[in-house]
Amino acid sequence: MQFQYANYSSPRYKATGKGSVRLLLINQRSDFSFALFSGGLSKPKLVAVSNKVTFANPNAPLYPRLAQGKTWNEMTVTWTSGYGISSAEPFIEWGQKGDVRVRSPTGTLTIDRSSMCGPPARTVGWRDPGFIHTSFLKELWPNTVYTYKLGHKLFNGTYIWSPEYQFKASPYPGQDSVQRVVIFGDMGKDEPDGSNVYNNYQHGALNTTKQLIDDLKNIDIVFHIGDIVYANGYISQWDQFTAQVAPITSKVPYMVASGNHERDWPGSGSFYGTKDSGGECGVMAETMFYVPAENRAKFWYSTDYGMFRFCVADTEHDWREGTEQYEFIERCFASADRRKQPWLIFIAHRVLGYSSASWYGAQGSFEEPMGRESLQKLWQKYKVDIAFYGHVHNYERTCPIYQNICLDKEKHNYKGPFNGTIHVVAGGGGSGLADFTPLNTTWSLFKDHDYGFTKLTAFDHSNLLFEYKKSSDGKVYDSFTINRDYRDILACSVDNCSPTTLAS
């Protein structure tokens, strides 16, 4: 439900009884009505209800969401419609731009109330999310532009089509071309019509979304690293969010990670027993967005994009040494061919590295409890260039660090052999901002209490640019470069070379 105060948009409403409000409606597979209440939120009294507003086709295919498949040359397309498999056959029609198009089959999922773990997702927050369709476009040519349309063939022979979209296929792993990656967390959604909703605290979300849309020609892939929607059990918010980001997700892969507001629920198997998901316990995120995980209930995965290897963790499941996830993380790092993919990136929602957030400072840990204890030896051994986190709603960057010690005095231009991993908090995507501790953290090089996002640009196998941009204006406020040859990756630094003896 969205609402506006009539006297806010029409100041003389209380005196004259006349005024107007503007509300943005998106297609959510049903009719809408407007209701007028008196008495405010504390004592609401229904005064009048409008006629129904009906969409031309409430079941139409909407909000396409691209994602990398399980191989570099596979793109997945997920969308939402009101057509189940008992009423229509879903498919996607696609091909190289200007060439003959083919049709690919599509899988369909849906969610019912019993799939949710608790309230409000099972009670007042429940709303039928429609049908979620995913198709797999395989054997793509690298860096080639493809067009596609979402389709449903009704059993009476009628075809229902979406508009036409296009995307560029991923580069071949190791391919030497300019590759641009945007990374942020904790964005959520906000109302472009200025209305109010439950959980109305993602006030930077529209600015971040706008900056990405405006610069989309200079973005190849996006990582939204947890706390995606902040639906918190109010299921209609997933439609609202996918509508907000559709101009992005329909054109570039939109990769997501699991956060506390997607997954956590007591007794559901999450590492944390909080109620942050509002009873969703991961079901909505796992269904609405595709990720190339072996098991999407365990939301960790790897994906290759040209000269990048991304290892994406799931902080809402145990990551400590000896766990299934720890073994995955090490395999992901160890299997990267650094001659072809020199840029090794670790991504997680909660801060498993370093943050000066006030609540971490109060604990004296400057990290998620038990966060880096097991993982830091992997980051160092496998020479992970940068680790990204959300969860803390601000921006922060560390020095190249290992075991709380800065291993490089340089702040902006890193050259030669790897010393330590740089840790970045990029949780200022849109949700209410988090304060920093007043304590002096010597390893922290740059802090910003504002909304923003980060961008990586790989120019070639030796040169990487990192930028932090504010959502308010899209301008760069912090940056650094890494210049490194393959021989530099082979070189030794602290705790990352195999021990040798005279015998060897």
Side-chain angles (χ1 to χ4, degrees), residues 18-40:
K18 296 180 179 179
S20 65
V21 296
R22 294 172 64 87
L23 291 167
L24 174 67
L25 298 183
I26 66 164
N27 189 343
Q28 292 188 272
R29 302 167 302 283
S30 63
D31 298 337
F32 287 85
S33 291
F34 299 92
L36 178 64
F37 289 87
S38 64

Side-chain angles (χ1 to χ4, degrees), residues 1-224:
M1 182 184 74
Q2 298 171 238
F3 66 93
Q4 287 196 43
Y5 296 99
N7 58 317
Y8 283 15
S9 55
S10 303
R12 290 185 51 78
Y13 169 74
K14 290 180 72 174
T16 66
K18 296 180 179 179
S20 65
V21 296
R22 294 172 64 87
L23 291 167
L24 174 67
L25 298 183
I26 66 164
N27 189 343
Q28 292 188 272
R29 302 167 302 283
S30 63
D31 298 337
F32 287 85
S33 291
F34 299 92
L36 178 64
F37 289 87
S38 64
L41 293 176
S42 58
K43 296 180 179 180
K45 181 181 178 182
L46 182 62
V47 175
V49 178
S50 74
N51 296 330
K52 290 182 179 180
V53 177
T54 302
F55 281 84
N57 182 1
N59 295 320
L62 296 166
Y63 321 133
R65 308 180 281 280
L66 301 175
Q68 296 274 91
K70 289 186 178 179
T71 60
W72 70 269
N73 61 348
E74 178 179 74
M75 188 73 77
T76 70
V77 187
T78 299
W79 72 92
T80 304
S81 86
Y83 293 114
I85 58 173
S86 61
S87 59
E89 179 184 284
F91 62 92
I92 190 165
E93 189 170 276
W94 63 286
Q96 290 188 32
K97 190 172 184 179
D99 206 345
V100 176
R101 293 201 287 207
V102 298
R103 290 184 182 177
S104 289
T106 296
T108 298
L109 298 173
T110 192
I111 301 163
D112 60 33
R113 192 189 299 257
S114 65
S115 301
M116 304 289 103
C117 288
R122 270 196 167 196
T123 55
V124 296
W126 171 254
R127 188 180 187 282
D128 187 338
F131 297 94
I132 316 303
H133 315 280
T134 299
S135 191
F136 299 83
L137 315 186
K138 299 174 181 288
E139 297 183 358
L140 304 179
W141 290 85
N143 284 86
T144 298
V145 175
Y146 289 83
T147 61
Y148 68 97
K149 291 172 69 175
L150 316 174
H152 292 266
K153 183 181 179 182
L154 307 187
F155 291 142
N156 65 6
T158 303
Y159 282 86
I160 307 297
W161 294 100
S162 75
E164 183 175 286
Y165 305 95
Q166 71 176 42
F167 67 87
K168 186 176 74 171
S170 301
Y172 185 82
Q175 182 172 306
D176 196 349
S177 59
V178 176
Q179 294 148 16
R180 303 151 303 182
V181 184
V182 164
I183 303 173
F184 61 87
D186 306 76
M187 184 170 76
K189 51 164 281 297
D190 202 8
E191 308 308 315
D193 57 16
S195 59
N196 299 275
V197 290
Y198 177 77
N199 280 347
N200 191 33
Y201 57 80
Q202 295 102 52
H203 301 300
L206 292 180
N207 279 347
T208 301
T209 303
K210 180 181 183 301
Q211 294 299 340
L212 300 185
I213 293 171
D214 288 350
D215 196 39
L216 204 55
K217 64 181 181 301
N218 297 311
I219 298 171
D220 296 311
I221 185 170
V222 171
F223 286 84
H224 186 160

Side-chain angles (χ1 to χ4, degrees), residues 204-263:
L206 292 180
N207 279 347
T208 301
T209 303
K210 180 181 183 301
Q211 294 299 340
L212 300 185
I213 293 171
D214 288 350
D215 196 39
L216 204 55
K217 64 181 181 301
N218 297 311
I219 298 171
D220 296 311
I221 185 170
V222 171
F223 286 84
H224 186 160
I225 58 177
D227 286 7
I228 302 165
V229 179
Y230 292 93
N232 294 1
Y234 287 83
I235 307 305
S236 65
Q237 300 298 289
W238 285 89
D239 275 328
Q240 298 280 339
F241 177 81
T242 51
Q244 174 181 300
V245 297
I248 305 165
T249 62
S250 61
K251 294 182 180 178
V252 299
Y254 198 89
M255 313 303 296
V256 299
S258 180
N260 50 302
H261 284 281
E262 282 77 55
R263 181 62 184 85

